[in-house]
Amino acid sequence: MADTQADAERRRVLIAEDEALIRLDLAEMLVEEGYEVVGEAGDGETAVRLAEELTPDLVILDIKMPIMDGLAAAERIAGGRIAPVVILTAFSQRDLVERARAAGAMAYLVKPFQKSDLVPAIEIALSRYAEVAALESEVAGLTERLETRKSVERAKGELMTKYAMTEPQAFKWIQRTAMDHRMTMREVADRILAEGQEPSDATAE
C-alpha cells in the first residue's frame, strides 16, 4: 500500500535553467524529495518542446534564459494546458511577479532558495492547477453550458423588466451576487426566476 501511494505521489518534473550548476542542484533537491526529473533544458524554446513531448506533471522555469525567456515559455506551456508552471528567478520585483502571474505561473520562487522553499512552491502550483482544471471541467459539458446560459438569459430579462436595468447591468449583478454568496451563476439565476414565480418558496429558502 505504501509503495502504491509513493508511486502515485512521484511527480514528473521538467527543469529549465540556463546555469548548469543551479540546474544540477535543483535536480538533486527534487530527487531527494521524491520527485522524478524527466527532462532538463537550458533555454525556453527547448523547455516548451520538451514539455510538449514529455507532458510532465510540473515545469520549473527560470526567467532569464536565452532564445526564449521563462515568461514567454510559461505562456506557451500554461496556455496550452500542458502542465502547471513554477517560475524561478533571482529577481523579486513586483512587476516580474505580476508578469509571471499573467503568463500563467502558479507559483514563484526567488533564488537563492532552500529545499524547504522549493517543495511548498511545487505543491502550491500543483494544487492551484488542479483547482483550475476542476472549475473548467465543471462547466465543460455542452448541455450544462446551454442550460446555464438559458437560465442566466431569462434571469437577466426578469431584472431588466423589474428594475429597469440594462442588459450589461443585469449580467454584472448576477455575476457579483454569485461571487458574494459563493454560488454559481446558474444558482443565482434560478433563484431570481423562482422569486419571480413563487416568492413564498424562495423566501422559505
Side-chain angles (χ1 to χ4, degrees):
M1 183 71 177
D3 290 341
T4 304
Q5 187 176 357
D7 290 340
E9 293 173 355
R10 192 170 174 78
R11 305 286 192 170
R12 300 166 65 255
V13 182
L14 170 65
I15 303 169
E17 161 66 64
D18 63 331
E19 294 185 40
L21 285 176
I22 294 177
R23 199 164 65 235
L24 179 64
D25 286 344
L26 184 54
E28 285 182 357
M29 286 184 192
L30 289 166
V31 171
E32 285 172 7
E33 288 299 319
Y35 298 100
E36 180 184 358
V37 178
V38 294
E40 297 183 25
D43 65 82
E45 191 174 87
T46 303
V48 172
R49 178 175 56 80
L50 287 176
E52 291 171 344
E53 291 174 2
L54 301 170
T55 58
D57 296 312
L58 180 89
V59 180
I60 299 177
L61 299 168
D62 184 36
I63 283 187
K64 302 291 184 181
M65 288 191 293
I67 307 177
M68 181 191 292
D69 69 19
L71 293 176
E75 285 181 350
R76 295 271 297 276
I77 294 167
R81 295 292 189 269
I82 298 169
V85 171
V86 173
I87 288 288
L88 182 65
T89 182
F91 305 95
S92 58
Q93 291 95 328
R94 185 175 295 276
D95 64 321
L96 283 178
V97 175
E98 291 303 322
R99 285 177 61 200
R101 188 179 291 119
M106 295 289 171
Y108 189 92
L109 196 59
V110 180
K111 295 184 283 191
F113 57 88
Q114 305 296 321
K115 189 161 46 174
S116 58
D117 302 318
L118 178 65
V119 175
I122 289 174
E123 295 307 317
I124 286 170
L126 290 167
S127 174
R128 286 177 179 169
Y129 189 78
E131 286 176 12
V132 170
L135 285 172
E136 288 182 348
S137 66
E138 187 180 329
V139 292
L142 181 60
T143 303
E144 186 179 352
R145 280 205 304 267
L146 290 172
E147 290 301 318
T148 298
R149 185 172 176 178
K150 281 196 289 186
S151 290
V152 171
E153 288 297 318
R154 288 173 58 205
K156 280 195 303 184
E158 191 83 13
L159 292 173
M160 290 162 67
T161 301
K162 279 190 174 181
Y163 304 105
M165 292 183 180
T166 64
E167 187 170 344
Q169 286 173 337
F171 181 80
K172 284 181 181 177
W173 190 91
I174 294 169
Q175 193 175 40
R176 188 172 62 247
T177 302
M179 291 175 66
D180 290 347
H181 295 278
R182 296 183 179 180
M183 298 165 67
T184 65
M185 289 181 67
R186 171 79 180 275
E187 288 171 336
V188 173
D190 287 346
R191 189 162 292 192
I192 290 168
L193 295 170
E195 286 175 350
Q197 293 162 9
E198 299 172 13
S200 59
D201 289 350
T203 307
E205 288 183 11

